[in-house]
Amino acid sequence: MRDKKGLILSALLGTVLVYSNVSYLTDFFKIHKTLNYLMIFLIFIISILLFISYLKKGNKGLNSKDKLFNSLIHKSDTVYIMINCKNKKVVYLSEKVEDILGIKTSDKSDEDIVYQILNIPMIKNELNNWDKITEYVSQMIEYDNPKYNHKMWIKIKIYPYKEKNEEYFIIQVLDATKEHDRQHLLISQATDIKARESTLNQITAKSYDLEMNINLTLNSYELKYFKKDKLYFGEEKRGKYTEELENILNYINEKDRDLVYSNLNIEFLKDRFSKYELDSIAIRYRLGNKVKNNIWLESTIFFITNRQKNVVSILTKNVTESAESIREQNVMLQNALNDAKLLDKSKTELISTISHEIRTPLTNIVGLSDALLNEKLEDNIREDIKNINDSSNEMIHIIDGLLDTSKIEKRLIEKNEKQYSILKLLKKIEDSAKEYIGDKSIKLNLNLDNNLPVILFGDSRRITGALNEIINNSIKNTDEGVIDINVRGEKINNEINLIVEVIDTGSGIDEEKLNSIMTKETNKGLGSVKSLMELLDGKLEIESKVGEFTKVTISFMQKIVEDNKIRKMMNNNKNAEEFSLKGKKVLIVDDNKLNLKVTNRLLNSYDLDITLLESGQECIDFIKEQNNFDLILMDQMMPGLDGISTMNKLKEIENFDTPIVVLTADAMQGQKEKYISDGFDDYISKPIDKSELSRVLKKFLKDQ
């Protein structure tokens, strides 16, 4: 616009200048005034024509840019949306929304289409916690597109954008099906490899005499015997593989050395990996010295790709005996494999039993003691109940650790992230440490940065496990003195790098043991802290001097949920999170009467109108008569109709739109996502955490 105004102004100025000059010339040469006016008119017309030509050229350039932009959008597998934040109107919506997402645009307004996309339960839940300032990226979500014959997965990105006084959200809906399929394939392959490794570990000791593992990436090996009286290649050892192979060949009959070398040299093994020829190879050969000339060995070579490392495992056994003996051995191997499968199945069943049968009564103890602690009690009674509550929570943490056993063995353990109060977490750790100190002359100091946020999002259970391990290690190695726990944070946008230092005046750690902790993989002591930090994408640092001190520092990133400063919470009482929901009607469904009692006690402080039912069918019949509840809290494990079946039947009732939150002792990783994908509106694990309960009540009741 500025260019257009400039051209018009230039044309007018040019005309004025020409007019003044022409006037001078006419006066000088005595030219007639009519000719003077004609010249002025022609010059003005030429200026206008030049201006119009410029505009056409500019518009042509703009039109070609628009065509290019529309062409790129049309060919993309992404839906683009632009929304005005002030009036909630859709400024732009890709034409391909019907092709990509299967939404009929002719039947709906642009705003309705956007509402349908953003109202997907998992997206809706995540957006409730979005700060609307930073970029939002969702996880991959299963999406039902009627035009697809297979499962479709999508990912949503939202970018805040400002222009002058207007604010916009630019939304991308991406087809993530191929990305999901690739990830799923990688996980399946990893699981298969781990299963094969586990099976081998179960049967090798019975079936073979020795094992040699070779890391081709590092050119290293480890040779170990299962039967100590059959040392075919000398003592157990480890070192550089290419050098050891030459030594092994000296133990082998000269006639068989070429066979062994051709199958075991490092170039041949690497070539197999490069060609993805990963099927096992078996070779038979004789030992070389005169005493053992009649001893035949069979080595089976397995090719394993594990965590970007190419590993060769060679299992060797004596096959001198008759074919009948070999057949019997194969039968024994198959039986051992079957036993291993049965053992794995039994372990899975045991884990499931622990999760539900043992965890359920513990949740009742925690729930009732939580409810009692919110009441007025004498100091000695309050202290006893608090001890019961803390011990029950500790037992639940122990059980949760047992639930991770199978995943730890297969190295598929995952983070279990949720909201938590950093102050509560640290106070519980402090109380536990004081109990562990007992009669020792140790002063424990918890020093908190007053500017720490109140509520964070992360794997609080494993953070607790790591800190307990560090502090307990300090207590164990300190007879008297001081243990300082310093907690601070470095904020980066809506995240914080949480840094915890534990400094003791104990016996210290010698250099050899310190190196062992930092380099070896182990689930004991500070080695387990190293594993937990790797899981949390964090860091572990240890500084120590024997006889003087040990300083252990861990750091890890956490998302900030509530940025109120922690100093504002220091003197708050335990009822600070409670609020009134008078008039709101809540239905609780659980076949366990004690569970009903616990949940009812926890909800009493919110001044709710509560109804208790003991079965899924009773719930369905009741809703058909009185469909006027604001929220339903429903147990999953019920006889007859379980929680999922009951929920599905409720949704078939006309005009039923009450949110349903599942209550379950099934707290294993990934269950929340599973229940929400099944159709529940939210998830609370047992024992019911008061902050989680408050979150759900606020979400569904407080703002209605």
Side-chain angles (χ1 to χ4, degrees):
M1 193 66 182
R2 289 178 180 175
D3 293 337
K4 293 177 184 178
K5 289 179 179 179
L7 285 169
I8 294 172
L9 186 59
S10 298
L12 292 172
L13 287 171
T15 304
V16 171
L17 289 170
V18 171
Y19 175 78
S20 62
N21 289 329
V22 170
S23 298
Y24 172 79
L25 290 172
T26 53
D27 289 338
F28 185 81
F29 291 104
K30 306 300 183 180
I31 298 174
H32 197 274
K33 284 188 177 181
T34 303
L35 182 59
N36 181 8
Y37 293 138
L38 180 60
M39 290 175 66
I40 293 169
F41 177 75
L42 287 173
I43 291 169
F44 183 76
I45 291 298
I46 290 169
S47 299
I48 293 297
L49 289 174
L50 288 171
F51 174 67
I52 292 171
S53 172
Y54 175 83
L55 287 181
K56 285 184 176 180
K57 184 178 180 181
N59 286 336
K60 184 177 180 181
L62 288 173
N63 289 335
S64 44
K65 287 179 182 177
D66 288 343
K67 288 178 181 178
L68 177 61
F69 175 76
N70 290 329
S71 172
L72 290 172
I73 293 297
H74 183 73
K75 292 178 181 178
S76 173
D77 287 333
T78 302
V79 173
Y80 293 86
I81 303 165
M82 188 172 183
I83 297 176
N84 188 308
C85 297
K86 186 180 293 183
N87 57 24
K88 309 299 183 185
K89 293 296 183 182
V90 176
V91 178
Y92 178 82
L93 179 67
S94 298
E95 295 178 358
K96 293 196 70 177
V97 66
E98 187 167 341
D99 294 335
I100 296 173
L101 298 178
I103 300 174
K104 290 187 177 181
T105 56
S106 57
D107 299 340
K108 298 182 178 181
S109 68
D110 290 353
E111 285 72 23
D112 288 338
I113 291 170
V114 175
Y115 177 80
Q116 179 176 338
I117 295 170
L118 299 185
N119 206 43
I120 297 171
M122 196 170 293
I123 296 295
K124 185 178 178 182
N125 288 337
E126 289 183 353
L127 288 178
N128 286 336
N129 296 320
W130 181 42
D131 60 9
K132 297 181 177 59
I133 298 172
T134 57
E135 171 189 340
Y136 163 80
V137 181
S138 76
Q139 57 186 295
M140 284 185 282
I141 303 158
E142 187 176 349
Y143 182 81
D144 183 19
N145 186 340
K147 292 187 175 183
Y148 280 53
N149 294 324
H150 56 84
K151 287 184 178 179
M152 180 183 183
W153 294 81
I154 63 172
K155 185 185 287 185
I156 293 177
K157 297 182 179 180
I158 305 178
Y159 306 91
Y161 172 73
K162 290 184 179 181
E163 182 177 316
K164 296 182 180 178
N165 295 326
E166 296 291 340
E167 294 184 1
Y168 302 90
F169 288 148
I170 297 174
I171 304 173
Q172 286 182 296
V173 185
L174 303 95
D175 185 347
T177 306
K178 291 181 180 178
E179 180 183 352
H180 173 272
D181 290 345
R182 284 196 297 268
Q183 291 185 9
H184 183 73
L185 177 62
L186 289 173
I187 292 172
S188 300
Q189 290 173 339
T191 303
D192 180 59
I193 290 169
K194 293 298 181 181
R196 280 191 285 170
E197 288 181 350
S198 178
T199 302
L200 283 172
N201 290 335
Q202 292 286 338
I203 65 176
T204 49
K206 292 182 180 179
S207 309
Y208 296 92
D209 299 332
L210 68 92
E211 176 185 35
M212 183 161 67
N213 292 314
I214 307 165
N215 186 323
L216 295 181
T217 306
L218 302 177
N219 186 24
S220 61
Y221 80 98
E222 180 181 10
L223 174 67
K224 60 181 179 180
Y225 291 91
F226 300 120
K227 298 173 183 176
K228 302 302 181 183
D229 59 331
K230 297 182 178 180
L231 307 181
Y232 301 125
F233 305 124
E235 300 293 331
E236 292 188 349
K237 61 195 104 175
R238 62 176 64 188
K240 192 173 182 180
Y241 175 65
T242 50
E243 295 177 358
E244 180 57 21
L245 180 58
E246 295 297 328
N247 182 49
I248 288 175
L249 291 174
N250 293 328
Y251 288 90
I252 296 170
N253 189 292
E254 291 182 358
K255 295 180 180 180
D256 297 328
R257 287 177 186 174
D258 288 342
L259 170 68
V260 174
Y261 181 80
S262 64
N263 284 279
L264 295 186
N265 73 80
I266 196 165
E267 289 77 18
F268 171 78
L269 299 176
K270 287 182 176 179
D271 186 58
R272 295 274 300 190
F273 277 104
S274 66
K275 295 177 180 178
Y276 294 98
E277 296 175 0
L278 305 181
D279 293 332
S280 60
I281 301 173
I283 56 173
R284 287 192 179 190
Y285 51 91
R286 289 161 293 180
L287 289 178
N289 63 49
K290 294 180 180 179
V291 178
K292 298 180 179 178
N293 262 338
N294 294 324
I295 294 180
W296 282 83
L297 300 180
E298 182 180 271
S299 292
T300 305
I301 309 165
F302 296 92
F303 299 87
I304 303 166
T305 300
N306 186 8
R307 289 181 290 174
Q308 299 181 340
K309 295 178 183 177
N310 293 336
V311 177
V312 175
S313 182
I314 304 174
L315 300 175
T316 302
K317 61 185 176 182
N318 189 323
V319 292
T320 307
E321 296 178 2
S322 64
E324 178 62 24
S325 174
I326 295 173
R327 189 192 69 79
E328 292 176 357
Q329 192 176 52
N330 288 336
V331 171
M332 182 183 71
L333 288 173
Q334 186 60 49
N335 290 337
L337 180 59
N338 293 336
D339 290 343
K341 289 179 179 178
L342 288 173
L343 180 62
D344 187 61
K345 183 179 179 182
S346 299
K347 185 190 295 183
T348 302
E349 291 174 352
L350 175 62
I351 289 173
S352 178
T353 300
I354 290 172
S355 179
H356 188 264
E357 300 299 331
I358 300 179
R359 191 181 174 94
T360 297
L362 278 174
T363 62
N364 292 330
I365 297 171
V366 172
L368 284 173
S369 56
D370 272 338
L372 286 171
L373 287 171
N374 286 322
E375 298 179 2
K376 292 182 178 179
L377 301 169
E378 295 180 10
D379 290 343
N380 61 330
I381 296 175
R382 175 176 292 278
E383 184 178 354
D384 290 342
I385 294 174
K386 186 178 184 302
N387 289 336
I388 292 171
N389 184 270
D390 290 342
S391 297
S392 301
N393 275 309
E394 187 63 28
M395 286 190 69
I396 289 173
H397 287 155
I398 293 170
I399 291 171
D400 287 340
L402 291 174
L403 296 179
D404 285 336
T405 298
S406 61
K407 289 186 177 181
I408 291 171
E409 289 175 352
K410 297 177 182 178
R411 297 188 182 275
L412 294 175
I413 192 167
E414 299 171 339
K415 288 187 280 190
N416 183 12
E417 297 182 316
K418 60 182 180 181
Q419 293 183 20
Y420 67 94
S421 164
I422 183 64
L423 182 60
K424 282 186 179 179
L425 182 146
L426 293 170
K427 286 296 183 183
K428 283 187 177 180
I429 289 172
E430 182 184 30
D431 291 343
S432 176
K434 287 178 179 177
E435 289 289 329
Y436 192 61
I437 287 173
D439 297 331
K440 282 189 172 185
S441 299
I442 298 175
K443 183 181 180 182
L444 184 70
N445 300 317
L446 176 60
N447 307 309
L448 304 181
D449 180 352
N450 288 333
N451 291 317
L452 286 172
V454 174
I455 305 296
L456 301 178
F457 182 87
D459 193 337
S460 59
R461 180 162 62 84
R462 293 195 173 91
I463 293 168
T464 301
L467 288 174
N468 279 336
E469 190 65 54
I470 295 169
I471 296 166
N472 289 348
N473 186 74
S474 289
I475 295 170
K476 183 171 64 176
N477 294 313
T478 305
D479 293 326
E480 59 181 6
V482 179
I483 298 177
D484 287 317
I485 306 169
N486 304 322
V487 187
R488 57 189 172 88
E490 298 172 350
K491 292 183 182 178
I492 305 171
N493 297 324
N494 66 329
E495 293 186 319
I496 185 168
N497 182 27
L498 206 61
I499 302 167
V500 185
E501 299 173 342
V502 179
I503 308 170
D504 66 63
T505 57
S507 57
I509 304 172
D510 62 54
E511 187 174 351
E512 183 180 352
K513 187 175 180 181
L514 188 58
N515 290 334
S516 176
I517 292 170
M518 301 304 293
T519 57
K520 291 183 179 180
E521 292 187 4
T522 175
N523 287 318
K524 294 180 180 180
L526 292 178
S528 67
V529 178
K530 178 172 172 283
S531 300
L532 287 170
M533 285 301 103
E534 289 173 355
L535 174 67
L536 297 173
D537 298 321
K539 294 180 181 178
L540 167 67
E541 297 175 279
I542 306 175
E543 182 183 353
S544 185
K545 189 170 184 180
V546 175
E548 293 188 18
F549 76 96
T550 298
K551 177 182 177 182
V552 181
T553 305
I554 58 173
S555 58
F556 45 90
M557 296 298 294
Q558 299 286 273
K559 293 179 182 177
I560 299 172
V561 177
E562 188 176 327
D563 199 15
N564 291 333
K565 303 299 181 284
I566 204 168
R567 62 173 173 264
K568 295 180 180 179
M569 287 187 62
M570 292 298 188
N571 298 319
N572 286 358
N573 60 42
K574 295 198 75 174
N575 296 324
E577 284 295 315
E578 295 177 2
F579 45 88
S580 176
L581 294 170
K582 189 171 184 178
K584 300 295 183 181
K585 301 184 70 175
V586 176
L587 175 61
I588 307 172
V589 186
D590 198 316
D591 64 298
N592 187 307
K593 290 183 179 180
L594 187 54
N595 286 349
L596 285 173
K597 181 179 179 181
V598 170
T599 309
N600 187 41
R601 286 286 293 271
L602 290 173
L603 289 171
N604 275 339
S605 59
Y606 297 97
D607 203 16
L608 291 160
D609 183 356
I610 300 170
T611 301
L612 308 177
L613 298 176
E614 296 183 16
S615 73
Q617 188 59 53
E618 189 178 2
C619 172
I620 293 166
D621 296 339
F622 198 84
I623 290 294
K624 286 180 179 179
E625 295 179 4
Q626 301 184 40
N627 189 1
N628 59 349
F629 286 95
D630 299 296
L631 179 65
I632 297 175
L633 303 177
M634 183 178 298
D635 182 40
Q636 162 58 13
M637 299 291 286
M638 296 187 292
L641 288 175
D642 61 14
I644 293 175
S645 301
T646 305
M647 173 196 65
N648 290 332
K649 288 186 176 293
L650 286 173
K651 291 186 176 182
E652 294 173 1
I653 299 174
E654 187 177 358
N655 297 325
F656 177 83
D657 61 353
T658 306
I660 307 174
V661 177
V662 64
L663 299 176
T664 177
D666 189 1
M668 293 182 70
Q669 173 68 17
Q671 293 305 102
K672 179 177 182 178
E673 291 76 11
K674 173 186 176 298
Y675 283 118
I676 289 177
S677 66
D678 286 337
F680 286 101
D681 295 284
D682 214 317
Y683 163 101
I684 297 178
S685 64
K686 298 178 181 178
I688 298 173
D689 182 78
K690 197 68 182 291
S691 61
E692 273 292 286
L693 182 62
S694 294
R695 177 188 67 80
V696 168
L697 295 178
K698 284 180 182 178
K699 177 179 177 181
F700 294 107
L701 301 180
K702 194 172 183 183
D703 296 327
Q704 292 182 5

